[in-house]
Amino acid sequence: MRPHPEIESFDIQGTVIEITEGQLPTMLVQLENGDRTRLLVGQNTPELNSSIRLIGKRHADGSVVYQMAASEGFP
């Protein structure tokens, strides 16, 4: 099955509400629109309750995939 094409890309702010450590660390982010998304944490982990910028990619089927903006840097 072929993936649905991307029809829109947008910036959105979110707040880190949970960080799960382990072999594949993740964070749960509450988006400004009320949605939540879970993302893998990269080399630099944001702090709990910190505000981060994400890129949302909306696909033709209505699904949205989020990723951290490349310019996001954390201590």
Side-chain angles (χ1 to χ4, degrees), residues 16-31:
V16 178
I17 60 173
E18 177 183 288
I19 296 174
T20 304
E21 297 183 14
Q23 191 171 11
L24 290 174
T26 62
M27 64 182 165
L28 183 61
V29 180
Q30 176 82 41
L31 303 174

Side-chain angles (χ1 to χ4, degrees), residues 8-16 27 29-39 50-58 64-72 74:
E8 177 187 19
S9 182
F10 57 94
D11 287 354
I12 189 165
Q13 287 294 120
T15 302
V16 178
M27 64 182 165
V29 180
Q30 176 82 41
L31 303 174
E32 63 188 2
N33 66 5
D35 291 344
R36 291 181 175 189
T37 188
R38 187 168 297 278
L39 302 168
S50 63
S51 179
I52 62 171
R53 186 171 63 91
L54 302 177
I55 303 295
K57 294 184 180 188
R58 188 176 320 279
V64 179
V65 176
Y66 296 99
Q67 63 187 48
M68 281 204 320
S71 63
E72 285 293 326
F74 305 106

Side-chain angles (χ1 to χ4, degrees), residues 1-5 61 63:
M1 189 162 143
R2 296 178 61 186
H4 293 278
D61 67 350
S63 65

